[in-house]
Amino acid sequence: MSPRRRDAEGTAAARAERRAELLATAAEVFASQGYSATTVRQIADAAGILGGSLYYHFDSKESMADEILSTFLDEMWAAYDRVLEAGLGARETLEALVVESFRSIDRHRPAVVIYQNESKHLAAGERFSYLRDSHGRFEQMWTSVLERGVKEGAFRSDLDRTLVYRFIRDTVWLAANWYQRGGRLSADDIAKQYLAMVLEGIQAT
C-alpha cells in the first residue's frame, strides 16, 4: 500500500470515528432536551466544537436525527428478523424478542428515547416516513406472536392481544428512560426479570 493511500484511509477512518462521536453526542442532547428544542449550536457546544464545524460532517439537525434513528432501527430489525427466522415456538420467540429489545436499549438508549418521544412528530415528514412503517411492522410482529402463542396453547386466550402488545411495548421500551449501561443488572438480566413478570400473567395454565 502506498503512503498516500495509507494516509487517505487513515484520514477516512478518523473522520468516520469523529462522525460517530458527534452522532452519539447529538443523540444524548436530543434525548435529554427534545428534538425541537435542540439547536445545532447546542450540539456543537456539547461536542466541544464551533457550531460551523458541525456542518463539515452533517448538513442539518434533521440529518443527524435521521442517521441516529435509521441506524438504531436497522440494527433492531436485523436482530428481530434473526429471531423470527429461527423457527422457535411462540413463547420462545417472545422471550427472544424481549431480550433483543433490551439489547437494543443497551446499544442505543438515547435513540430509543428519541424514537419514543419524537417519532410521532417526526413521522409527519416525508424524510421520516420509515418511522410510520416501523410502528406498523412492530405492532404486527408482536400481535402475530401473541396470536400464535394462543393457538399453540402457550398463552391465555381470554386476554386481548392488542392490550397485551401495548403492555409489553410500554413496559419494555420505557425502560430506556432509566436504564444505565454498566449498572447492577445487565440488559439480559433485566430482560429475564421482565419476562418472569410478563409470562406469569399471560401464560396458559
Side-chain angles (χ1 to χ4, degrees):
M1 181 185 297
S2 68
R4 180 177 296 179
R5 182 178 178 183
R6 185 164 50 248
D7 290 346
E9 290 184 356
T11 300
R15 183 177 180 185
E17 183 178 354
R18 183 55 174 156
R19 181 185 178 87
E21 291 171 352
L22 292 172
L23 279 175
T25 299
E28 291 286 357
V29 178
F30 288 146
S32 63
Q33 296 185 184
Y35 174 78
S36 296
T38 299
T39 65
V40 171
R41 175 63 181 272
Q42 288 171 323
I43 296 171
D45 287 346
I49 61 175
L50 297 174
S53 299
L54 201 58
Y55 289 106
Y56 176 71
H57 299 276
F58 307 98
D59 60 17
S60 66
K61 179 177 78 169
E62 186 180 58
S63 294
M64 287 183 275
D66 184 10
E67 191 163 341
I68 291 164
L69 289 170
S70 60
T71 298
F72 151 60
L73 289 174
D74 285 348
E75 289 190 16
M76 182 191 75
W77 280 112
Y80 282 168
D81 285 342
R82 287 192 295 271
V83 172
L84 297 173
E85 293 165 3
L88 303 172
R91 179 186 172 113
E92 292 75 20
T93 298
L94 184 144
E95 291 174 346
L97 290 174
V98 169
V99 170
E100 289 299 342
S101 297
F102 276 101
R103 288 174 179 172
S104 290
I105 292 173
D106 182 65
R107 291 190 297 266
H108 300 286
R109 189 201 64 79
V112 174
V113 173
I114 298 166
Y115 183 75
Q116 291 285 96
N117 296 339
E118 311 285 353
S119 60
K120 185 175 181 180
H121 165 71
L122 291 172
E126 186 59 33
R127 181 168 191 167
F128 293 93
S129 61
Y130 61 86
L131 296 176
R132 296 193 298 272
D133 297 336
S134 184
H135 288 159
R137 185 181 175 189
F138 194 78
E139 181 171 0
Q140 191 278 331
M141 177 191 75
W142 282 102
T143 54
S144 293
V145 171
L146 292 168
E147 288 168 1
R148 183 158 63 90
V150 170
K151 292 177 182 178
E152 293 176 2
F155 302 146
R156 291 168 54 179
S157 60
D158 61 318
L159 297 176
D160 183 87
R161 257 75 85 193
T162 300
L163 183 60
V164 175
Y165 149 70
R166 289 173 177 168
F167 174 78
I168 294 174
R169 176 197 65 191
D170 292 347
T171 54
V172 170
W173 291 106
L174 287 178
N177 289 312
W178 53 261
Y179 176 81
Q180 292 293 327
R181 172 177 280 189
R184 184 171 58 86
L185 296 174
S186 69
D188 284 16
D189 290 334
I190 295 172
K192 291 176 183 177
Q193 296 280 329
Y194 266 61
L195 283 166
M197 292 183 281
V198 171
L199 291 173
E200 182 69 23
I202 70 171
Q203 68 186 0
T205 57

